[in-house]
Amino acid sequence: MGSFDGAETCELVGSFLLSQLQELDINTGLYRDDGLAISNASPRDTENIKKAICRIFNKNGLRITIEANKKIINFLDVTFNLNNETFYTCTKPNTTLQYVHHESNHPHSIIKNIPPGINKRLSSLSSDRTSFDQAAAPYQKALKESGYNYTLRYDPATPSRGKNRQRKDILWYNPPYSKNVNTNIGHRFLNLIDKHFHKDHKLRKIFNRNTIKLSYSCMNNIKHAIDNHNKRILNPQRPNPTTTPDTKITKTCNCRRKNECPLNEKCLSPSVIYQATVTREDNNTTETYIGLTENEFKTRYRNHTASFRHEKHRNSTELSKHIWTLKDNNIKHSISWRILSTNPIYNSSSKKCHLCLK
């Protein structure tokens, strides 16, 4: 756990281990690295099952901690009590409940749905009204401290009809939200869709109110902005992948013939927005193509040149289409490359890609 794909790897390993536990006389469930098993065996047989599970894990080079013969257990955020056949929500010791304040700079839909969402979760994790009332007190206190005038009430879930499958062809527009902005961005954006993609427009099937949805994104708070500033000031800059640790010299080009480098010995530059200029030799007219790449420019350059050589890739990019059009008409041409800007790639903490936003 903790790696980039730790959750996916954990689920894959968990499914493999569950397949090996099928021969044991227990019902087992697993969520990531937390498991729960139920058995009707005697306490002695349960201990033997526990030892069998440990052997299976050891066989696969893993360790496991098991508590057996328990009547009351905490699993994730729920407490199960087999003595009176009840369940209710639980929190870890010394946990402080805190919610977004009612006057916070968040979209109204988010503020409005926080209390009902908490009420729904507590109700679904409580077996009856008594269990709900016992667990609701700290949540009610946290809501009051966050400025909400809402009373939590037990509302058991009612069976509902199956939800319709969500469409996969929806495009989402996520503008940042701020209370300081008086303009209704969402309303104006949807009006622009209706205006420019009217009923008779050939792209109406792709761009309409059913295929384009709007959802506001939250702005960073002051704490987040200060933390990011401090990280930039205090943390040393990460070394470039092409930097040699001993010499601290950044390698910018690996072309054998430096005079043939497409970017004047800077072809290994990563995270760039670049421009290709195609010049016809018959009339000296030019066409420009602008692209971006997260990887080194040299990798993208090789992909471009491959699409120029192999006709099966002639439709890979607009640039390759243009080059093949010139080649079909036997028009000689030349291509020059240059970097327009270098920008940071997507950051999971800020949820922004400055390379795309540029």
Side-chain angles (χ1 to χ4, degrees):
M1 300 294 290
S3 63
F4 180 76
D5 56 351
E8 292 79 3
T9 304
C10 188
E11 292 181 356
L12 180 62
V13 174
S15 299
F16 172 73
L17 293 172
L18 285 177
S19 66
Q20 296 189 347
L21 297 177
Q22 289 181 351
E23 59 186 32
L24 303 178
D25 187 21
I26 54 175
N27 294 322
T28 309
L30 189 67
Y31 179 79
R32 303 286 167 80
D33 57 348
D34 293 321
L36 178 65
I38 303 175
S39 172
N40 293 323
S42 63
R44 182 176 180 179
D45 291 339
T46 302
E47 285 294 333
N48 293 331
I49 294 174
K50 171 184 173 181
K51 294 178 182 178
I53 295 175
C54 290
R55 286 194 296 270
I56 292 175
F57 273 74
N58 290 334
K59 181 181 177 182
N60 291 279
L62 301 171
R63 295 181 181 179
I64 184 172
T65 302
I66 303 178
E67 296 182 19
N69 294 312
K70 295 286 185 179
K71 294 292 185 179
I72 302 176
I73 56 98
N74 296 329
F75 182 67
L76 302 178
D77 55 351
V78 185
T79 297
F80 295 95
N81 190 333
L82 295 181
N83 294 324
N84 53 18
E85 297 183 352
T86 60
F87 59 89
Y88 48 89
T89 184
C90 68
T91 56
K92 294 182 179 180
N94 301 323
T95 298
T96 302
L97 298 175
Q98 189 175 12
Y99 298 110
V100 174
H101 198 274
H102 183 264
E103 298 180 359
S104 178
N105 193 7
H106 281 72
H108 176 69
S109 59
I110 293 179
I111 300 296
K112 180 182 68 175
N113 286 298
I114 287 178
I118 298 171
N119 195 89
K120 181 179 179 180
R121 173 181 171 273
L122 289 177
S123 298
S124 62
L125 297 181
S126 301
S127 57
D128 50 37
R129 185 180 299 277
T130 302
S131 301
F132 177 88
D133 294 337
Q134 291 177 352
Y139 295 90
Q140 184 69 66
K141 179 182 177 182
L143 281 175
K144 185 177 180 180
E145 292 176 347
S146 298
Y148 295 95
N149 185 18
Y150 186 93
T151 302
L152 297 174
R153 296 183 178 86
Y154 180 61
D155 185 16
T158 55
S160 59
R161 295 179 299 175
K163 295 182 179 180
N164 297 329
R165 290 187 303 175
Q166 294 184 352
R167 299 181 56 166
K168 296 182 179 180
D169 57 347
I170 292 180
L171 300 174
W172 286 94
Y173 173 51
N174 304 108
Y177 175 84
S178 176
K179 287 184 177 180
N180 298 324
V181 179
N182 294 325
T183 305
N184 191 334
I185 302 296
H187 180 70
R188 291 201 175 187
F189 173 75
L190 294 177
N191 284 342
L192 288 175
I193 298 298
D194 295 336
K195 176 182 177 181
H196 296 286
F197 299 98
H198 48 80
K199 293 183 179 180
D200 298 328
H201 198 281
K202 61 181 180 181
L203 297 178
R204 174 71 176 184
K205 283 187 175 182
I206 301 176
F207 301 105
N208 56 72
R209 292 201 177 208
N210 294 324
T211 59
I212 297 180
K213 302 294 183 180
L214 181 139
S215 176
Y216 286 103
S217 60
C218 299
M219 300 284 287
N220 294 334
N221 56 29
I222 296 298
K223 180 180 182 301
H224 194 277
I226 294 176
D227 289 344
N228 287 339
H229 172 76
N230 291 340
K231 286 180 181 179
R232 289 194 299 268
I233 300 300
L234 300 177
N235 293 345
Q237 188 176 6
R238 294 182 179 180
N240 193 291
T242 56
T243 301
T244 306
D246 297 332
T247 61
K248 302 296 182 182
I249 298 176
T250 302
K251 190 176 182 181
T252 59
C253 178
N254 62 355
C255 298
R256 293 183 179 180
R257 300 177 180 177
K258 302 301 182 182
N259 60 339
E260 296 181 0
C261 179
L263 278 181
N264 296 325
E265 301 185 18
K266 295 182 180 180
C267 60
L268 294 182
S269 302
S271 305
V272 298
I273 299 176
Y274 61 91
Q275 175 180 297
T277 303
V278 183
T279 305
R280 296 176 49 155
E281 296 185 1
D282 57 345
N283 55 14
N284 289 328
T285 58
T286 60
E287 295 286 344
T288 58
Y289 170 88
I290 297 178
L292 60 86
T293 177
E294 174 184 343
N295 301 318
E296 296 174 351
F297 171 80
K298 189 68 170 286
T299 303
R300 178 57 60 88
Y301 174 75
R302 288 170 179 165
N303 292 337
H304 277 303
T305 55
S307 66
F308 303 158
R309 294 193 305 268
H310 305 289
E311 190 172 3
K312 63 180 180 180
H313 299 308
R314 65 181 299 159
N315 294 322
S316 297
T317 63
E318 294 299 322
L319 178 60
S320 61
K321 292 179 183 178
H322 180 63
I323 295 299
W324 276 99
T325 300
L326 297 177
K327 293 173 68 174
D328 292 340
N329 294 319
N330 295 321
I331 299 175
K332 294 183 178 181
H333 58 276
S334 61
I335 307 176
S336 60
W337 306 83
R338 71 186 185 100
I339 294 179
L340 297 180
S341 63
T342 302
N343 303 280
I345 59 175
Y346 176 77
N347 186 299
S348 57
S349 60
S350 64
K351 297 182 179 179
K352 292 181 181 179
C353 178
H354 293 278
L355 185 65
C356 301
L357 294 175
K358 188 67 176 181

PDB file of all heavy atoms in Angstrom, residues 9-35:
ATOM      1  N   THR A   9      -3.301  -3.137  -6.914  1.00  0.00           N
ATOM      2  CA  THR A   9      -2.501  -4.321  -6.616  1.00  0.00           C
ATOM      3  C   THR A   9      -3.057  -5.066  -5.415  1.00  0.00           C
ATOM      4  O   THR A   9      -3.117  -6.307  -5.400  1.00  0.00           O
ATOM      5  CB  THR A   9      -1.036  -3.920  -6.354  1.00  0.00           C
ATOM      6  OG1 THR A   9      -0.537  -3.202  -7.486  1.00  0.00           O
ATOM      7  CG2 THR A   9      -0.172  -5.134  -6.105  1.00  0.00           C
ATOM      8  N   CYS A  10      -3.491  -4.308  -4.403  1.00  0.00           N
ATOM      9  CA  CYS A  10      -4.050  -4.926  -3.201  1.00  0.00           C
ATOM     10  C   CYS A  10      -5.308  -5.720  -3.520  1.00  0.00           C
ATOM     11  O   CYS A  10      -5.514  -6.822  -2.999  1.00  0.00           O
ATOM     12  CB  CYS A  10      -4.340  -3.846  -2.164  1.00  0.00           C
ATOM     13  SG  CYS A  10      -4.807  -4.474  -0.544  1.00  0.00           S
ATOM     14  N   GLU A  11      -6.163  -5.191  -4.366  1.00  0.00           N
ATOM     15  CA  GLU A  11      -7.386  -5.912  -4.740  1.00  0.00           C
ATOM     16  C   GLU A  11      -7.070  -7.170  -5.538  1.00  0.00           C
ATOM     17  O   GLU A  11      -7.729  -8.205  -5.369  1.00  0.00           O
ATOM     18  CB  GLU A  11      -8.296  -4.982  -5.537  1.00  0.00           C
ATOM     19  CG  GLU A  11      -8.882  -3.844  -4.708  1.00  0.00           C
ATOM     20  CD  GLU A  11      -9.801  -2.963  -5.517  1.00  0.00           C
ATOM     21  OE1 GLU A  11      -9.916  -3.193  -6.734  1.00  0.00           O
ATOM     22  OE2 GLU A  11     -10.398  -2.037  -4.937  1.00  0.00           O
ATOM     23  N   LEU A  12      -6.065  -7.107  -6.399  1.00  0.00           N
ATOM     24  CA  LEU A  12      -5.684  -8.279  -7.184  1.00  0.00           C
ATOM     25  C   LEU A  12      -5.127  -9.381  -6.286  1.00  0.00           C
ATOM     26  O   LEU A  12      -5.517 -10.552  -6.398  1.00  0.00           O
ATOM     27  CB  LEU A  12      -4.654  -7.876  -8.240  1.00  0.00           C
ATOM     28  CG  LEU A  12      -4.137  -8.993  -9.159  1.00  0.00           C
ATOM     29  CD1 LEU A  12      -5.282  -9.575  -9.972  1.00  0.00           C
ATOM     30  CD2 LEU A  12      -3.050  -8.453 -10.086  1.00  0.00           C
ATOM     31  N   VAL A  13      -4.224  -9.004  -5.368  1.00  0.00           N
ATOM     32  CA  VAL A  13      -3.663  -9.983  -4.433  1.00  0.00           C
ATOM     33  C   VAL A  13      -4.751 -10.532  -3.518  1.00  0.00           C
ATOM     34  O   VAL A  13      -4.793 -11.734  -3.220  1.00  0.00           O
ATOM     35  CB  VAL A  13      -2.523  -9.338  -3.619  1.00  0.00           C
ATOM     36  CG1 VAL A  13      -2.018 -10.286  -2.538  1.00  0.00           C
ATOM     37  CG2 VAL A  13      -1.365  -8.939  -4.527  1.00  0.00           C
ATOM     38  N   GLY A  14      -5.662  -9.660  -3.066  1.00  0.00           N
ATOM     39  CA  GLY A  14      -6.746 -10.106  -2.207  1.00  0.00           C
ATOM     40  C   GLY A  14      -7.643 -11.121  -2.882  1.00  0.00           C
ATOM     41  O   GLY A  14      -8.055 -12.114  -2.267  1.00  0.00           O
ATOM     42  N   SER A  15      -7.967 -10.906  -4.157  1.00  0.00           N
ATOM     43  CA  SER A  15      -8.803 -11.863  -4.892  1.00  0.00           C
ATOM     44  C   SER A  15      -8.108 -13.220  -5.017  1.00  0.00           C
ATOM     45  O   SER A  15      -8.742 -14.280  -4.898  1.00  0.00           O
ATOM     46  CB  SER A  15      -9.131 -11.307  -6.279  1.00  0.00           C
ATOM     47  OG  SER A  15      -9.842 -10.090  -6.186  1.00  0.00           O
ATOM     48  N   PHE A  16      -6.792 -13.191  -5.228  1.00  0.00           N
ATOM     49  CA  PHE A  16      -6.030 -14.444  -5.317  1.00  0.00           C
ATOM     50  C   PHE A  16      -6.056 -15.198  -3.991  1.00  0.00           C
ATOM     51  O   PHE A  16      -6.245 -16.421  -3.949  1.00  0.00           O
ATOM     52  CB  PHE A  16      -4.595 -14.143  -5.739  1.00  0.00           C
ATOM     53  CG  PHE A  16      -3.679 -15.323  -5.688  1.00  0.00           C
ATOM     54  CD1 PHE A  16      -3.770 -16.343  -6.636  1.00  0.00           C
ATOM     55  CD2 PHE A  16      -2.726 -15.439  -4.686  1.00  0.00           C
ATOM     56  CE1 PHE A  16      -2.928 -17.443  -6.589  1.00  0.00           C
ATOM     57  CE2 PHE A  16      -1.877 -16.526  -4.622  1.00  0.00           C
ATOM     58  CZ  PHE A  16      -1.989 -17.539  -5.583  1.00  0.00           C
ATOM     59  N   LEU A  17      -5.888 -14.461  -2.876  1.00  0.00           N
ATOM     60  CA  LEU A  17      -5.897 -15.111  -1.561  1.00  0.00           C
ATOM     61  C   LEU A  17      -7.285 -15.633  -1.212  1.00  0.00           C
ATOM     62  O   LEU A  17      -7.426 -16.708  -0.609  1.00  0.00           O
ATOM     63  CB  LEU A  17      -5.416 -14.127  -0.508  1.00  0.00           C
ATOM     64  CG  LEU A  17      -3.942 -13.701  -0.594  1.00  0.00           C
ATOM     65  CD1 LEU A  17      -3.647 -12.584   0.392  1.00  0.00           C
ATOM     66  CD2 LEU A  17      -3.027 -14.894  -0.337  1.00  0.00           C
ATOM     67  N   LEU A  18      -8.327 -14.902  -1.582  1.00  0.00           N
ATOM     68  CA  LEU A  18      -9.693 -15.378  -1.320  1.00  0.00           C
ATOM     69  C   LEU A  18      -9.975 -16.691  -2.045  1.00  0.00           C
ATOM     70  O   LEU A  18     -10.679 -17.564  -1.519  1.00  0.00           O
ATOM     71  CB  LEU A  18     -10.704 -14.313  -1.740  1.00  0.00           C
ATOM     72  CG  LEU A  18     -10.856 -13.101  -0.820  1.00  0.00           C
ATOM     73  CD1 LEU A  18     -11.844 -12.105  -1.414  1.00  0.00           C
ATOM     74  CD2 LEU A  18     -11.323 -13.527   0.560  1.00  0.00           C
ATOM     75  N   SER A  19      -9.410 -16.845  -3.239  1.00  0.00           N
ATOM     76  CA  SER A  19      -9.610 -18.100  -3.978  1.00  0.00           C
ATOM     77  C   SER A  19      -8.965 -19.281  -3.254  1.00  0.00           C
ATOM     78  O   SER A  19      -9.452 -20.409  -3.341  1.00  0.00           O
ATOM     79  CB  SER A  19      -9.031 -17.973  -5.393  1.00  0.00           C
ATOM     80  OG  SER A  19      -7.612 -17.839  -5.354  1.00  0.00           O
ATOM     81  N   GLN A  20      -7.883 -19.019  -2.508  1.00  0.00           N
ATOM     82  CA  GLN A  20      -7.224 -20.090  -1.776  1.00  0.00           C
ATOM     83  C   GLN A  20      -7.904 -20.377  -0.437  1.00  0.00           C
ATOM     84  O   GLN A  20      -7.675 -21.428   0.163  1.00  0.00           O
ATOM     85  CB  GLN A  20      -5.753 -19.735  -1.538  1.00  0.00           C
ATOM     86  CG  GLN A  20      -4.947 -19.608  -2.828  1.00  0.00           C
ATOM     87  CD  GLN A  20      -3.457 -19.483  -2.558  1.00  0.00           C
ATOM     88  OE1 GLN A  20      -3.045 -19.259  -1.436  1.00  0.00           O
ATOM     89  NE2 GLN A  20      -2.656 -19.607  -3.608  1.00  0.00           N
ATOM     90  N   LEU A  21      -8.731 -19.436   0.034  1.00  0.00           N
ATOM     91  CA  LEU A  21      -9.447 -19.639   1.295  1.00  0.00           C
ATOM     92  C   LEU A  21     -10.793 -20.321   1.116  1.00  0.00           C
ATOM     93  O   LEU A  21     -11.500 -20.574   2.100  1.00  0.00           O
ATOM     94  CB  LEU A  21      -9.657 -18.293   1.993  1.00  0.00           C
ATOM     95  CG  LEU A  21      -8.406 -17.517   2.433  1.00  0.00           C
ATOM     96  CD1 LEU A  21      -8.804 -16.188   3.043  1.00  0.00           C
ATOM     97  CD2 LEU A  21      -7.590 -18.330   3.418  1.00  0.00           C
ATOM     98  N   GLN A  22     -11.169 -20.627  -0.116  1.00  0.00           N
ATOM     99  CA  GLN A  22     -12.479 -21.213  -0.372  1.00  0.00           C
ATOM    100  C   GLN A  22     -12.634 -22.597   0.234  1.00  0.00           C
ATOM    101  O   GLN A  22     -13.736 -23.026   0.566  1.00  0.00           O
ATOM    102  CB  GLN A  22     -12.740 -21.272  -1.879  1.00  0.00           C
ATOM    103  CG  GLN A  22     -12.989 -19.912  -2.507  1.00  0.00           C
ATOM    104  CD  GLN A  22     -13.271 -20.005  -3.996  1.00  0.00           C
ATOM    105  OE1 GLN A  22     -13.114 -21.067  -4.605  1.00  0.00           O
ATOM    106  NE2 GLN A  22     -13.688 -18.897  -4.573  1.00  0.00           N
ATOM    107  N   GLU A  23     -11.517 -23.317   0.390  1.00  0.00           N
ATOM    108  CA  GLU A  23     -11.591 -24.675   0.935  1.00  0.00           C
ATOM    109  C   GLU A  23     -11.874 -24.684   2.427  1.00  0.00           C
ATOM    110  O   GLU A  23     -12.258 -25.722   2.984  1.00  0.00           O
ATOM    111  CB  GLU A  23     -10.262 -25.402   0.676  1.00  0.00           C
ATOM    112  CG  GLU A  23      -9.059 -24.707   1.283  1.00  0.00           C
ATOM    113  CD  GLU A  23      -7.747 -25.348   0.899  1.00  0.00           C
ATOM    114  OE1 GLU A  23      -7.652 -25.876  -0.215  1.00  0.00           O
ATOM    115  OE2 GLU A  23      -6.832 -25.316   1.738  1.00  0.00           O
ATOM    116  N   LEU A  24     -11.730 -23.565   3.096  1.00  0.00           N
ATOM    117  CA  LEU A  24     -12.021 -23.468   4.521  1.00  0.00           C
ATOM    118  C   LEU A  24     -13.518 -23.224   4.732  1.00  0.00           C
ATOM    119  O   LEU A  24     -14.179 -22.580   3.925  1.00  0.00           O
ATOM    120  CB  LEU A  24     -11.214 -22.339   5.161  1.00  0.00           C
ATOM    121  CG  LEU A  24      -9.693 -22.423   4.992  1.00  0.00           C
ATOM    122  CD1 LEU A  24      -9.032 -21.206   5.626  1.00  0.00           C
ATOM    123  CD2 LEU A  24      -9.142 -23.706   5.590  1.00  0.00           C
ATOM    124  N   ASP A  25     -14.039 -23.712   5.834  1.00  0.00           N
ATOM    125  CA  ASP A  25     -15.478 -23.625   6.113  1.00  0.00           C
ATOM    126  C   ASP A  25     -15.810 -22.276   6.762  1.00  0.00           C
ATOM    127  O   ASP A  25     -16.264 -22.211   7.905  1.00  0.00           O
ATOM    128  CB  ASP A  25     -15.900 -24.790   7.023  1.00  0.00           C
ATOM    129  CG  ASP A  25     -17.423 -24.848   7.196  1.00  0.00           C
ATOM    130  OD1 ASP A  25     -18.129 -24.278   6.342  1.00  0.00           O
ATOM    131  OD2 ASP A  25     -17.888 -25.440   8.193  1.00  0.00           O
ATOM    132  N   ILE A  26     -15.577 -21.188   6.014  1.00  0.00           N
ATOM    133  CA  ILE A  26     -15.864 -19.848   6.525  1.00  0.00           C
ATOM    134  C   ILE A  26     -16.364 -18.980   5.377  1.00  0.00           C
ATOM    135  O   ILE A  26     -16.094 -19.260   4.208  1.00  0.00           O
ATOM    136  CB  ILE A  26     -14.619 -19.197   7.161  1.00  0.00           C
ATOM    137  CG1 ILE A  26     -13.434 -19.202   6.167  1.00  0.00           C
ATOM    138  CG2 ILE A  26     -14.243 -19.880   8.471  1.00  0.00           C
ATOM    139  CD1 ILE A  26     -12.219 -18.467   6.675  1.00  0.00           C
ATOM    140  N   ASN A  27     -17.105 -17.929   5.752  1.00  0.00           N
ATOM    141  CA  ASN A  27     -17.513 -16.903   4.792  1.00  0.00           C
ATOM    142  C   ASN A  27     -16.591 -15.701   4.981  1.00  0.00           C
ATOM    143  O   ASN A  27     -16.554 -15.113   6.066  1.00  0.00           O
ATOM    144  CB  ASN A  27     -18.968 -16.494   5.024  1.00  0.00           C
ATOM    145  CG  ASN A  27     -19.931 -17.622   4.743  1.00  0.00           C
ATOM    146  OD1 ASN A  27     -19.720 -18.387   3.811  1.00  0.00           O
ATOM    147  ND2 ASN A  27     -20.972 -17.745   5.568  1.00  0.00           N
ATOM    148  N   THR A  28     -15.849 -15.365   3.945  1.00  0.00           N
ATOM    149  CA  THR A  28     -14.808 -14.342   4.066  1.00  0.00           C
ATOM    150  C   THR A  28     -15.091 -13.170   3.137  1.00  0.00           C
ATOM    151  O   THR A  28     -15.487 -13.357   1.983  1.00  0.00           O
ATOM    152  CB  THR A  28     -13.426 -14.933   3.722  1.00  0.00           C
ATOM    153  OG1 THR A  28     -13.220 -16.116   4.470  1.00  0.00           O
ATOM    154  CG2 THR A  28     -12.325 -13.942   4.043  1.00  0.00           C
ATOM    155  N   GLY A  29     -14.899 -11.968   3.661  1.00  0.00           N
ATOM    156  CA  GLY A  29     -14.980 -10.747   2.866  1.00  0.00           C
ATOM    157  C   GLY A  29     -13.698  -9.966   3.009  1.00  0.00           C
ATOM    158  O   GLY A  29     -13.032 -10.041   4.053  1.00  0.00           O
ATOM    159  N   LEU A  30     -13.352  -9.201   1.998  1.00  0.00           N
ATOM    160  CA  LEU A  30     -12.086  -8.468   2.016  1.00  0.00           C
ATOM    161  C   LEU A  30     -12.273  -7.109   1.369  1.00  0.00           C
ATOM    162  O   LEU A  30     -12.874  -6.997   0.297  1.00  0.00           O
ATOM    163  CB  LEU A  30     -11.014  -9.260   1.254  1.00  0.00           C
ATOM    164  CG  LEU A  30      -9.572  -8.749   1.350  1.00  0.00           C
ATOM    165  CD1 LEU A  30      -9.057  -8.903   2.772  1.00  0.00           C
ATOM    166  CD2 LEU A  30      -8.676  -9.508   0.378  1.00  0.00           C
ATOM    167  N   TYR A  31     -11.780  -6.075   2.047  1.00  0.00           N
ATOM    168  CA  TYR A  31     -11.719  -4.733   1.464  1.00  0.00           C
ATOM    169  C   TYR A  31     -10.292  -4.233   1.600  1.00  0.00           C
ATOM    170  O   TYR A  31      -9.815  -3.951   2.697  1.00  0.00           O
ATOM    171  CB  TYR A  31     -12.683  -3.779   2.167  1.00  0.00           C
ATOM    172  CG  TYR A  31     -12.623  -2.373   1.609  1.00  0.00           C
ATOM    173  CD1 TYR A  31     -13.271  -2.060   0.424  1.00  0.00           C
ATOM    174  CD2 TYR A  31     -11.895  -1.379   2.254  1.00  0.00           C
ATOM    175  CE1 TYR A  31     -13.203  -0.782  -0.119  1.00  0.00           C
ATOM    176  CE2 TYR A  31     -11.818  -0.099   1.739  1.00  0.00           C
ATOM    177  CZ  TYR A  31     -12.479   0.188   0.549  1.00  0.00           C
ATOM    178  OH  TYR A  31     -12.406   1.448   0.025  1.00  0.00           O
ATOM    179  N   ARG A  32      -9.588  -4.153   0.459  1.00  0.00           N
ATOM    180  CA  ARG A  32      -8.185  -3.775   0.449  1.00  0.00           C
ATOM    181  C   ARG A  32      -7.399  -4.686   1.396  1.00  0.00           C
ATOM    182  O   ARG A  32      -7.283  -5.868   1.166  1.00  0.00           O
ATOM    183  CB  ARG A  32      -8.016  -2.292   0.808  1.00  0.00           C
ATOM    184  CG  ARG A  32      -8.784  -1.346  -0.114  1.00  0.00           C
ATOM    185  CD  ARG A  32      -8.130  -1.230  -1.477  1.00  0.00           C
ATOM    186  NE  ARG A  32      -8.978  -0.603  -2.461  1.00  0.00           N
ATOM    187  CZ  ARG A  32      -9.173   0.716  -2.585  1.00  0.00           C
ATOM    188  NH1 ARG A  32      -8.562   1.556  -1.787  1.00  0.00           N
ATOM    189  NH2 ARG A  32      -9.949   1.198  -3.533  1.00  0.00           N
ATOM    190  N   ASP A  33      -6.883  -4.141   2.505  1.00  0.00           N
ATOM    191  CA  ASP A  33      -6.079  -4.957   3.417  1.00  0.00           C
ATOM    192  C   ASP A  33      -6.809  -5.267   4.718  1.00  0.00           C
ATOM    193  O   ASP A  33      -6.189  -5.671   5.702  1.00  0.00           O
ATOM    194  CB  ASP A  33      -4.750  -4.268   3.721  1.00  0.00           C
ATOM    195  CG  ASP A  33      -4.947  -2.872   4.306  1.00  0.00           C
ATOM    196  OD1 ASP A  33      -6.082  -2.373   4.249  1.00  0.00           O
ATOM    197  OD2 ASP A  33      -3.970  -2.309   4.818  1.00  0.00           O
ATOM    198  N   ASP A  34      -8.124  -5.082   4.747  1.00  0.00           N
ATOM    199  CA  ASP A  34      -8.935  -5.438   5.914  1.00  0.00           C
ATOM    200  C   ASP A  34      -9.881  -6.572   5.529  1.00  0.00           C
ATOM    201  O   ASP A  34     -10.575  -6.488   4.507  1.00  0.00           O
ATOM    202  CB  ASP A  34      -9.746  -4.246   6.417  1.00  0.00           C
ATOM    203  CG  ASP A  34      -8.852  -3.158   6.987  1.00  0.00           C
ATOM    204  OD1 ASP A  34      -7.869  -3.525   7.651  1.00  0.00           O
ATOM    205  OD2 ASP A  34      -9.128  -1.967   6.762  1.00  0.00           O
ATOM    206  N   GLY A  35      -9.925  -7.614   6.367  1.00  0.00           N
ATOM    207  CA  GLY A  35     -10.769  -8.769   6.070  1.00  0.00           C
ATOM    208  C   GLY A  35     -11.678  -9.107   7.231  1.00  0.00           C
ATOM    209  O   GLY A  35     -11.412  -8.770   8.392  1.00  0.00           O
TER     210      GLY A  35
END
